[in-house]
Amino acid sequence: MRLMLRSLVAAFLVLAALALAAPASAQPAPPQPTAVNPTALSVQERQLMEQLRAGTPGTGTTVHGRGTIPNTDSYVLIQPQGQAWRAFHQGAMHWVAGIAILGMLALLALFYLIRGTIRVEHGMSGLKILRFSSFERLIHWMVASCFILLGLSGLNVTVGKFLLLPLIGEDAFALTSQWAKYAHNYLAWPFMLGLAVMFLTWVGHNIPNRVDIEWIKQGGGMLANGAHPPARKFNAGQKGIFWAVMVGGAVLSLSGIYLVFPYTAGGVLALQFWNIVHGLAGVLLIAVILAHIYIGTLGMQGASEAMTTGDVDLNWAKEHHSLWVQEEAEKGKLHPHAVGQAAE
Ligand code: HEM
């Protein structure tokens, strides 16, 4: 009797379990492409998707397949935003990159043709004043070298297939892209560290003030035969570069960290959003840095020494950063020979 009862209860429990399982299996399976032989090699993916979509209420919604792994995001078969992302990434993004970067190069070439290299009007004095310490230069070149490699490897992801692949062929492109990816993933960290140290080192000199307004009003002495408006260590133009690097660098870092650790906060949509933000911030900052490199080399006589030896000519400093020279003189940081001249 007891045995019979036990087997009845056991049978009931099995049935109950099956019944519980039944609803899930009872749910209508997403429509299967019964009209299409899924093993036929010629089956068009689109045909399958259309069949699947036909079974999913409402167009424009995400179409899920089925899977067994915990990552349910991997079940996504059709994600309309994904098509919008791809259209942007392979369309508008190229235009934005082209206009920003080629546009800036064209502007700089035109400026150089019209204005030429901005010369030190009083000629070089031969006396030097220390502008950037070895620590400041180390941080600058750490950030600069990382950014240049990050910029090139990032551009390779955006336009490498269209610009570099036809030039160097598939094998070389595959190898270059592999190393570019390593560079991009690993140089991001020293870049972010350098950015933080650069911020702490220079933020005090980059707070906008009234001197900057006068500097902007006078076009910063960039225009032909323009007077050199007074400026402290950094003039308004350089403060603009500093804040562009800090804000652009922060956006690149945050979006980049999300791309390295995807799905930490949000699904596929967040990934596509941060990918677009990262790409746009990247090409815009590259354009800004092109202008910075121009003015730090070809565009201005005597500028590059500031970031190579750290010393600049006194006349250069007096013309471009007259208030800074006075501050340095007051701190007793000028060469004795330079003190008299600094006040002129
Ligand atoms: C070959 C590339 C580069 C060259 C030749 C260059 C040159 C220079 C020079 C000469 C200065 C000192 C200007 C002065 O005396 O006031 C400077 C400052 C600076 N550089 Fe660069 N730089 C380069 C790349 C970069 C990059 C990639 C970044 C950031 C991502 C950067 C960020 C800065 C900042 C924030 C300053 C201080 C503000 C300013 O002067 O604009 N530089 N650089």
Side-chain angles (χ1 to χ4, degrees):
M1 181 65 178
R2 195 173 280 173
L3 192 63
M4 199 173 78
L5 262 180
R6 266 206 202 134
S7 51
L8 267 177
V9 170
F12 175 74
L13 285 176
V14 169
L15 278 174
L18 281 173
L20 278 176
S25 60
Q27 274 178 5
Q32 294 301 315
T34 47
V36 178
N37 171 1
T39 57
L41 287 177
S42 63
V43 160
Q44 298 289 332
E45 180 194 330
R46 183 169 293 285
Q47 221 174 340
L48 265 180
M49 298 300 178
E50 291 312 321
Q51 286 281 343
L52 207 54
R53 188 176 279 153
T56 309
T59 55
T61 49
T62 303
V63 178
H64 286 85
R66 280 175 294 167
T68 53
I69 61 169
N71 174 10
T72 52
D73 277 315
S74 66
Y75 304 171
V76 174
L77 293 172
I78 298 180
Q79 195 239 358
Q81 298 88 344
Q83 286 148 3
W85 171 81
R86 192 168 45 191
F88 181 89
H89 197 261
Q90 295 180 358
M93 190 64 214
H94 293 177
W95 281 101
V96 175
I99 292 169
I101 296 174
L102 298 177
M104 180 57 83
L105 287 173
L107 266 180
L108 293 172
L110 198 66
F111 185 75
Y112 180 69
L113 285 177
I114 296 169
R115 179 71 173 86
T117 298
I118 299 170
R119 305 237 154 243
V120 178
E121 262 173 48
H122 294 88
M124 294 303 198
S125 68
L127 295 170
K128 297 287 181 189
I129 170 175
L130 180 67
R131 181 147 173 78
F132 292 111
S133 68
S134 44
F135 175 75
E136 288 173 301
R137 281 175 278 142
L138 176 73
I139 294 300
H140 174 270
W141 289 116
M142 177 176 153
V143 170
S145 51
C146 287
F147 180 81
I148 290 167
L149 290 171
L150 288 166
L152 290 173
S153 53
L155 282 178
N156 186 50
V157 176
T158 309
V159 290
K161 225 171 25 189
F162 308 94
L163 296 182
L164 192 59
L165 173 58
L167 282 179
I168 61 174
E170 285 180 4
D171 293 347
F173 179 69
L175 190 66
T176 313
S177 301
Q178 182 71 46
W179 283 102
K181 186 173 166 22
Y182 291 143
H184 206 84
N185 284 353
Y186 292 107
L187 290 177
W189 306 99
F191 173 71
M192 289 188 271
L193 175 68
L195 211 60
V197 177
M198 186 186 259
F199 178 78
L200 295 173
T201 310
W202 284 340
V203 65
H205 294 289
N206 281 283
I207 308 299
N209 55 40
R210 243 175 288 150
V211 176
D212 301 318
I213 297 169
E214 199 48 43
W215 190 92
I216 294 168
K217 274 190 197 157
Q218 295 186 36
M222 300 284 172
L223 307 173
N225 308 323
H228 289 287
R232 295 205 161 87
K233 182 159 185 167
F234 292 127
N235 57 42
Q238 291 171 309
K239 290 182 184 179
I241 297 279
F242 175 82
W243 288 110
V245 168
M246 291 305 143
V247 174
V251 171
L252 280 169
S253 305
L254 283 176
S255 55
I257 288 171
Y258 188 84
L259 296 178
V260 175
F261 303 106
Y263 307 117
T264 40
V268 182
L269 210 55
L271 188 61
Q272 288 151 356
F273 171 75
W274 287 115
N275 177 278
I276 289 178
V277 168
H278 193 75
L280 288 176
V283 291
L284 294 176
L285 192 53
I286 289 171
V288 169
I289 290 298
L290 286 173
H292 169 67
I293 296 174
Y294 169 78
I295 209 71
T297 52
L298 184 64
M300 187 182 279
Q301 182 193 20
S304 58
E305 279 92 333
M307 247 343 135
T308 49
T309 62
D311 295 316
V312 290
D313 189 89
L314 184 62
N315 280 355
W316 178 92
K318 282 196 308 186
E319 285 182 20
H320 297 292
H321 302 276
S322 54
L323 298 175
W324 172 68
V325 173
Q326 280 171 19
E327 286 164 5
E328 294 299 285
E330 281 154 20
K331 289 183 211 157
K333 287 197 177 166
L334 281 197
H335 187 282
H337 290 159
V339 173
Q341 290 209 22
E344 284 171 21

